[in-house]
Amino acid sequence: MAKYLLLKHYRGAPKGVNDVPMDQWTPQEVEDHIRYMNDFAARLEGTGEYVDGQALSPEGTFVRFDGEGRPPVTDGPFAETKDLIAGWMIIDVESYDRALALAGELSAAPGAGGEPIHEWLELRPLMGTPPTVTE
């Protein structure tokens, strides 16, 4: 089994086919999208392929340690994940091909007009535990 991270982007990825921003969807369209995501996760829980997933709040802050005391906090000028990443899901699957198939299916979640958004998802393998070096 191999674990993969599926990242849903607000921006930074190529535009989807049905590229209407979520803040312009009707409440029913948002509800249908969330239901699709939850049903997808529940189905993968049933097959043992779901590890975890979360939608992310749009709030966020960059923080850096700069010695003792309160760390400095900034809200820019960096491209921040709160502007880029909408959410994520971790799956644990038998193969890269299975991860691709699931990412493709997740990309078809409904959006504006109830039509699939065909969004681009970023698929990244999680790094495993580094091998133990013995001499």
Side-chain angles (χ1 to χ4, degrees):
M1 299 289 279
K3 291 182 181 162
Y4 290 87
L5 174 66
L6 298 169
L7 283 173
K8 293 177 66 66
H9 292 271
Y10 283 121
R11 62 185 175 118
K15 291 191 180 290
V17 173
N18 185 2
D19 192 39
V20 177
M22 188 180 258
D23 63 0
Q24 296 176 22
W25 296 0
T26 67
Q28 185 62 54
E29 290 166 346
V30 172
E31 185 178 317
D32 292 345
H33 181 80
I34 292 170
R35 183 181 316 105
Y36 182 97
M37 302 294 293
N38 289 337
D39 290 349
F40 182 85
R43 185 167 50 84
L44 294 186
E45 281 182 305
T47 64
E49 295 173 306
Y50 180 81
V51 176
D52 195 13
Q54 297 292 322
L56 297 174
S57 168
E59 291 83 32
T61 305
F62 269 96
V63 178
R64 180 191 73 185
F65 178 76
D66 196 24
E68 294 300 319
R70 185 172 183 269
V73 177
T74 182
D75 195 30
F78 316 111
E80 300 188 42
T81 57
K82 70 181 182 183
D83 297 327
L84 302 175
I85 300 172
W88 52 270
M89 182 179 290
I90 297 175
I91 56 174
D92 193 359
V93 294
E94 289 291 332
S95 67
Y96 177 70
D97 288 339
R98 176 68 175 154
L100 286 174
L102 291 174
E105 185 178 338
L106 189 58
S107 153
E115 296 296 317
I117 54 180
H118 297 289
E119 68 181 321
W120 287 92
L121 298 175
E122 185 177 352
L123 177 66
R124 295 181 64 181
L126 271 63
M127 293 180 65
T129 305
T132 302
V133 177
T134 58
E135 293 184 45

PDB file of all heavy atoms in Angstrom, residues 5-10 22 53-60 80-89:
ATOM      1  N   LEU A   5      -1.379  12.080  -1.241  1.00  0.00           N
ATOM      2  CA  LEU A   5      -2.088  13.284  -0.854  1.00  0.00           C
ATOM      3  C   LEU A   5      -2.768  13.843  -2.093  1.00  0.00           C
ATOM      4  O   LEU A   5      -2.127  14.030  -3.133  1.00  0.00           O
ATOM      5  CB  LEU A   5      -1.100  14.315  -0.297  1.00  0.00           C
ATOM      6  CG  LEU A   5      -1.647  15.694   0.033  1.00  0.00           C
ATOM      7  CD1 LEU A   5      -2.638  15.626   1.188  1.00  0.00           C
ATOM      8  CD2 LEU A   5      -0.503  16.643   0.363  1.00  0.00           C
ATOM      9  N   LEU A   6      -4.065  14.078  -1.986  1.00  0.00           N
ATOM     10  CA  LEU A   6      -4.821  14.748  -3.041  1.00  0.00           C
ATOM     11  C   LEU A   6      -5.079  16.168  -2.561  1.00  0.00           C
ATOM     12  O   LEU A   6      -5.713  16.366  -1.524  1.00  0.00           O
ATOM     13  CB  LEU A   6      -6.157  14.048  -3.283  1.00  0.00           C
ATOM     14  CG  LEU A   6      -6.091  12.603  -3.747  1.00  0.00           C
ATOM     15  CD1 LEU A   6      -7.475  11.968  -3.684  1.00  0.00           C
ATOM     16  CD2 LEU A   6      -5.548  12.544  -5.150  1.00  0.00           C
ATOM     17  N   LEU A   7      -4.573  17.155  -3.282  1.00  0.00           N
ATOM     18  CA  LEU A   7      -4.754  18.553  -2.897  1.00  0.00           C
ATOM     19  C   LEU A   7      -5.763  19.224  -3.816  1.00  0.00           C
ATOM     20  O   LEU A   7      -5.651  19.153  -5.035  1.00  0.00           O
ATOM     21  CB  LEU A   7      -3.430  19.321  -3.002  1.00  0.00           C
ATOM     22  CG  LEU A   7      -2.428  19.095  -1.887  1.00  0.00           C
ATOM     23  CD1 LEU A   7      -1.114  19.790  -2.217  1.00  0.00           C
ATOM     24  CD2 LEU A   7      -2.964  19.610  -0.571  1.00  0.00           C
ATOM     25  N   LYS A   8      -6.745  19.879  -3.203  1.00  0.00           N
ATOM     26  CA  LYS A   8      -7.718  20.682  -3.939  1.00  0.00           C
ATOM     27  C   LYS A   8      -7.262  22.133  -3.834  1.00  0.00           C
ATOM     28  O   LYS A   8      -7.027  22.626  -2.744  1.00  0.00           O
ATOM     29  CB  LYS A   8      -9.115  20.527  -3.335  1.00  0.00           C
ATOM     30  CG  LYS A   8      -9.694  19.137  -3.494  1.00  0.00           C
ATOM     31  CD  LYS A   8     -11.037  19.006  -2.816  1.00  0.00           C
ATOM     32  CE  LYS A   8     -12.122  19.833  -3.409  1.00  0.00           C
ATOM     33  NZ  LYS A   8     -12.558  19.509  -4.751  1.00  0.00           N
ATOM     34  N   HIS A   9      -7.130  22.798  -4.966  1.00  0.00           N
ATOM     35  CA  HIS A   9      -6.602  24.156  -5.006  1.00  0.00           C
ATOM     36  C   HIS A   9      -7.697  25.185  -5.255  1.00  0.00           C
ATOM     37  O   HIS A   9      -8.626  24.936  -6.027  1.00  0.00           O
ATOM     38  CB  HIS A   9      -5.559  24.282  -6.125  1.00  0.00           C
ATOM     39  CG  HIS A   9      -4.313  23.518  -5.860  1.00  0.00           C
ATOM     40  ND1 HIS A   9      -3.256  24.058  -5.193  1.00  0.00           N
ATOM     41  CD2 HIS A   9      -3.961  22.241  -6.151  1.00  0.00           C
ATOM     42  CE1 HIS A   9      -2.286  23.167  -5.092  1.00  0.00           C
ATOM     43  NE2 HIS A   9      -2.693  22.056  -5.661  1.00  0.00           N
ATOM     44  N   TYR A  10      -7.575  26.337  -4.612  1.00  0.00           N
ATOM     45  CA  TYR A  10      -8.408  27.489  -4.955  1.00  0.00           C
ATOM     46  C   TYR A  10      -7.884  28.109  -6.243  1.00  0.00           C
ATOM     47  O   TYR A  10      -8.618  28.514  -7.114  1.00  0.00           O
ATOM     48  CB  TYR A  10      -8.358  28.574  -3.865  1.00  0.00           C
ATOM     49  CG  TYR A  10      -9.179  28.263  -2.646  1.00  0.00           C
ATOM     50  CD1 TYR A  10      -8.593  28.194  -1.398  1.00  0.00           C
ATOM     51  CD2 TYR A  10     -10.554  28.068  -2.745  1.00  0.00           C
ATOM     52  CE1 TYR A  10      -9.350  27.940  -0.272  1.00  0.00           C
ATOM     53  CE2 TYR A  10     -11.313  27.809  -1.621  1.00  0.00           C
ATOM     54  CZ  TYR A  10     -10.702  27.743  -0.390  1.00  0.00           C
ATOM     55  OH  TYR A  10     -11.449  27.493   0.723  1.00  0.00           O
ATOM     56  N   MET A  22     -16.528  28.874  -6.043  1.00  0.00           N
ATOM     57  CA  MET A  22     -17.531  28.353  -5.117  1.00  0.00           C
ATOM     58  C   MET A  22     -18.355  29.455  -4.464  1.00  0.00           C
ATOM     59  O   MET A  22     -19.527  29.248  -4.169  1.00  0.00           O
ATOM     60  CB  MET A  22     -16.868  27.473  -4.058  1.00  0.00           C
ATOM     61  CG  MET A  22     -17.848  26.741  -3.173  1.00  0.00           C
ATOM     62  SD  MET A  22     -17.038  25.711  -1.932  1.00  0.00           S
ATOM     63  CE  MET A  22     -17.233  24.106  -2.670  1.00  0.00           C
ATOM     64  N   GLY A  53      -9.032  13.446   5.562  1.00  0.00           N
ATOM     65  CA  GLY A  53      -9.240  14.553   4.641  1.00  0.00           C
ATOM     66  C   GLY A  53      -9.918  15.691   5.368  1.00  0.00           C
ATOM     67  O   GLY A  53     -10.636  15.472   6.343  1.00  0.00           O
ATOM     68  N   GLN A  54      -9.666  16.905   4.910  1.00  0.00           N
ATOM     69  CA  GLN A  54     -10.257  18.080   5.534  1.00  0.00           C
ATOM     70  C   GLN A  54     -10.411  19.186   4.508  1.00  0.00           C
ATOM     71  O   GLN A  54      -9.558  19.357   3.639  1.00  0.00           O
ATOM     72  CB  GLN A  54      -9.359  18.611   6.658  1.00  0.00           C
ATOM     73  CG  GLN A  54      -9.164  17.670   7.812  1.00  0.00           C
ATOM     74  CD  GLN A  54     -10.418  17.447   8.615  1.00  0.00           C
ATOM     75  OE1 GLN A  54     -11.209  18.363   8.826  1.00  0.00           O
ATOM     76  NE2 GLN A  54     -10.611  16.230   9.067  1.00  0.00           N
ATOM     77  N   ALA A  55     -11.482  19.942   4.642  1.00  0.00           N
ATOM     78  CA  ALA A  55     -11.585  21.211   3.948  1.00  0.00           C
ATOM     79  C   ALA A  55     -10.865  22.219   4.840  1.00  0.00           C
ATOM     80  O   ALA A  55     -10.876  22.089   6.062  1.00  0.00           O
ATOM     81  CB  ALA A  55     -13.044  21.609   3.761  1.00  0.00           C
ATOM     82  N   LEU A  56     -10.228  23.185   4.242  1.00  0.00           N
ATOM     83  CA  LEU A  56      -9.467  24.155   5.013  1.00  0.00           C
ATOM     84  C   LEU A  56     -10.185  25.498   5.066  1.00  0.00           C
ATOM     85  O   LEU A  56     -10.782  25.932   4.082  1.00  0.00           O
ATOM     86  CB  LEU A  56      -8.076  24.349   4.398  1.00  0.00           C
ATOM     87  CG  LEU A  56      -7.193  23.105   4.401  1.00  0.00           C
ATOM     88  CD1 LEU A  56      -5.904  23.375   3.644  1.00  0.00           C
ATOM     89  CD2 LEU A  56      -6.900  22.652   5.815  1.00  0.00           C
ATOM     90  N   SER A  57     -10.087  26.149   6.207  1.00  0.00           N
ATOM     91  CA  SER A  57     -10.622  27.494   6.385  1.00  0.00           C
ATOM     92  C   SER A  57      -9.810  28.467   5.535  1.00  0.00           C
ATOM     93  O   SER A  57      -8.613  28.267   5.339  1.00  0.00           O
ATOM     94  CB  SER A  57     -10.506  27.874   7.859  1.00  0.00           C
ATOM     95  OG  SER A  57     -10.745  29.242   8.031  1.00  0.00           O
ATOM     96  N   PRO A  58     -10.431  29.528   5.061  1.00  0.00           N
ATOM     97  CA  PRO A  58      -9.661  30.508   4.290  1.00  0.00           C
ATOM     98  C   PRO A  58      -8.718  31.348   5.153  1.00  0.00           C
ATOM     99  O   PRO A  58      -7.854  32.030   4.631  1.00  0.00           O
ATOM    100  CB  PRO A  58     -10.726  31.384   3.629  1.00  0.00           C
ATOM    101  CG  PRO A  58     -11.949  31.200   4.445  1.00  0.00           C
ATOM    102  CD  PRO A  58     -11.863  29.831   5.054  1.00  0.00           C
ATOM    103  N   GLU A  59      -8.847  31.304   6.475  1.00  0.00           N
ATOM    104  CA  GLU A  59      -7.958  32.067   7.341  1.00  0.00           C
ATOM    105  C   GLU A  59      -6.639  31.325   7.510  1.00  0.00           C
ATOM    106  O   GLU A  59      -6.607  30.108   7.537  1.00  0.00           O
ATOM    107  CB  GLU A  59      -8.580  32.292   8.728  1.00  0.00           C
ATOM    108  CG  GLU A  59      -9.757  33.228   8.727  1.00  0.00           C
ATOM    109  CD  GLU A  59     -11.053  32.533   8.345  1.00  0.00           C
ATOM    110  OE1 GLU A  59     -11.199  31.346   8.659  1.00  0.00           O
ATOM    111  OE2 GLU A  59     -11.890  33.170   7.709  1.00  0.00           O
ATOM    112  N   GLY A  60      -5.569  32.063   7.643  1.00  0.00           N
ATOM    113  CA  GLY A  60      -4.257  31.459   7.867  1.00  0.00           C
ATOM    114  C   GLY A  60      -3.210  32.549   7.981  1.00  0.00           C
ATOM    115  O   GLY A  60      -3.416  33.670   7.535  1.00  0.00           O
ATOM    116  N   GLU A  80       0.047  32.551  -0.081  1.00  0.00           N
ATOM    117  CA  GLU A  80      -0.252  31.772   1.110  1.00  0.00           C
ATOM    118  C   GLU A  80      -1.136  30.584   0.788  1.00  0.00           C
ATOM    119  O   GLU A  80      -1.972  30.641  -0.110  1.00  0.00           O
ATOM    120  CB  GLU A  80      -0.947  32.663   2.146  1.00  0.00           C
ATOM    121  CG  GLU A  80      -0.063  33.832   2.550  1.00  0.00           C
ATOM    122  CD  GLU A  80      -0.641  34.596   3.708  1.00  0.00           C
ATOM    123  OE1 GLU A  80      -1.137  33.970   4.654  1.00  0.00           O
ATOM    124  OE2 GLU A  80      -0.579  35.828   3.664  1.00  0.00           O
ATOM    125  N   THR A  81      -0.963  29.511   1.544  1.00  0.00           N
ATOM    126  CA  THR A  81      -1.770  28.318   1.299  1.00  0.00           C
ATOM    127  C   THR A  81      -3.247  28.605   1.475  1.00  0.00           C
ATOM    128  O   THR A  81      -4.071  27.973   0.825  1.00  0.00           O
ATOM    129  CB  THR A  81      -1.347  27.159   2.221  1.00  0.00           C
ATOM    130  OG1 THR A  81      -1.451  27.574   3.578  1.00  0.00           O
ATOM    131  CG2 THR A  81       0.056  26.692   1.906  1.00  0.00           C
ATOM    132  N   LYS A  82      -3.612  29.588   2.314  1.00  0.00           N
ATOM    133  CA  LYS A  82      -5.033  29.904   2.476  1.00  0.00           C
ATOM    134  C   LYS A  82      -5.618  30.421   1.172  1.00  0.00           C
ATOM    135  O   LYS A  82      -6.814  30.316   0.946  1.00  0.00           O
ATOM    136  CB  LYS A  82      -5.257  30.909   3.602  1.00  0.00           C
ATOM    137  CG  LYS A  82      -4.760  32.307   3.302  1.00  0.00           C
ATOM    138  CD  LYS A  82      -4.996  33.226   4.483  1.00  0.00           C
ATOM    139  CE  LYS A  82      -4.550  34.632   4.168  1.00  0.00           C
ATOM    140  NZ  LYS A  82      -4.696  35.516   5.294  1.00  0.00           N
ATOM    141  N   ASP A  83      -4.778  30.980   0.311  1.00  0.00           N
ATOM    142  CA  ASP A  83      -5.227  31.453  -0.992  1.00  0.00           C
ATOM    143  C   ASP A  83      -5.138  30.365  -2.058  1.00  0.00           C
ATOM    144  O   ASP A  83      -5.695  30.517  -3.134  1.00  0.00           O
ATOM    145  CB  ASP A  83      -4.374  32.635  -1.453  1.00  0.00           C
ATOM    146  CG  ASP A  83      -4.508  33.841  -0.535  1.00  0.00           C
ATOM    147  OD1 ASP A  83      -5.605  34.030   0.022  1.00  0.00           O
ATOM    148  OD2 ASP A  83      -3.524  34.575  -0.387  1.00  0.00           O
ATOM    149  N   LEU A  84      -4.387  29.328  -1.774  1.00  0.00           N
ATOM    150  CA  LEU A  84      -4.106  28.316  -2.790  1.00  0.00           C
ATOM    151  C   LEU A  84      -4.800  26.988  -2.552  1.00  0.00           C
ATOM    152  O   LEU A  84      -5.308  26.379  -3.482  1.00  0.00           O
ATOM    153  CB  LEU A  84      -2.590  28.071  -2.874  1.00  0.00           C
ATOM    154  CG  LEU A  84      -1.720  29.289  -3.190  1.00  0.00           C
ATOM    155  CD1 LEU A  84      -0.252  28.920  -3.113  1.00  0.00           C
ATOM    156  CD2 LEU A  84      -2.070  29.865  -4.544  1.00  0.00           C
ATOM    157  N   ILE A  85      -4.787  26.508  -1.318  1.00  0.00           N
ATOM    158  CA  ILE A  85      -5.251  25.147  -1.043  1.00  0.00           C
ATOM    159  C   ILE A  85      -6.608  25.173  -0.353  1.00  0.00           C
ATOM    160  O   ILE A  85      -6.771  25.751   0.712  1.00  0.00           O
ATOM    161  CB  ILE A  85      -4.222  24.369  -0.198  1.00  0.00           C
ATOM    162  CG1 ILE A  85      -2.898  24.297  -0.956  1.00  0.00           C
ATOM    163  CG2 ILE A  85      -4.734  22.970   0.126  1.00  0.00           C
ATOM    164  CD1 ILE A  85      -1.754  23.733  -0.142  1.00  0.00           C
ATOM    165  N   ALA A  86      -7.585  24.504  -0.973  1.00  0.00           N
ATOM    166  CA  ALA A  86      -8.943  24.461  -0.436  1.00  0.00           C
ATOM    167  C   ALA A  86      -9.140  23.304   0.524  1.00  0.00           C
ATOM    168  O   ALA A  86      -9.953  23.365   1.428  1.00  0.00           O
ATOM    169  CB  ALA A  86      -9.948  24.355  -1.581  1.00  0.00           C
ATOM    170  N   GLY A  87      -8.422  22.238   0.327  1.00  0.00           N
ATOM    171  CA  GLY A  87      -8.563  21.068   1.179  1.00  0.00           C
ATOM    172  C   GLY A  87      -7.684  19.948   0.686  1.00  0.00           C
ATOM    173  O   GLY A  87      -6.996  20.065  -0.328  1.00  0.00           O
ATOM    174  N   TRP A  88      -7.720  18.833   1.423  1.00  0.00           N
ATOM    175  CA  TRP A  88      -6.864  17.714   1.083  1.00  0.00           C
ATOM    176  C   TRP A  88      -7.494  16.412   1.527  1.00  0.00           C
ATOM    177  O   TRP A  88      -8.394  16.386   2.366  1.00  0.00           O
ATOM    178  CB  TRP A  88      -5.490  17.876   1.723  1.00  0.00           C
ATOM    179  CG  TRP A  88      -5.561  18.131   3.203  1.00  0.00           C
ATOM    180  CD1 TRP A  88      -5.634  19.337   3.821  1.00  0.00           C
ATOM    181  CD2 TRP A  88      -5.611  17.153   4.254  1.00  0.00           C
ATOM    182  NE1 TRP A  88      -5.714  19.171   5.175  1.00  0.00           N
ATOM    183  CE2 TRP A  88      -5.700  17.848   5.475  1.00  0.00           C
ATOM    184  CE3 TRP A  88      -5.572  15.772   4.278  1.00  0.00           C
ATOM    185  CZ2 TRP A  88      -5.760  17.200   6.699  1.00  0.00           C
ATOM    186  CZ3 TRP A  88      -5.630  15.125   5.509  1.00  0.00           C
ATOM    187  CH2 TRP A  88      -5.714  15.841   6.697  1.00  0.00           C
ATOM    188  N   MET A  89      -7.021  15.343   0.930  1.00  0.00           N
ATOM    189  CA  MET A  89      -7.437  14.007   1.306  1.00  0.00           C
ATOM    190  C   MET A  89      -6.214  13.102   1.179  1.00  0.00           C
ATOM    191  O   MET A  89      -5.430  13.244   0.243  1.00  0.00           O
ATOM    192  CB  MET A  89      -8.550  13.504   0.380  1.00  0.00           C
ATOM    193  CG  MET A  89      -9.079  12.119   0.739  1.00  0.00           C
ATOM    194  SD  MET A  89     -10.414  11.585  -0.367  1.00  0.00           S
ATOM    195  CE  MET A  89     -11.730  12.697   0.158  1.00  0.00           C
TER     196      MET A  89
END
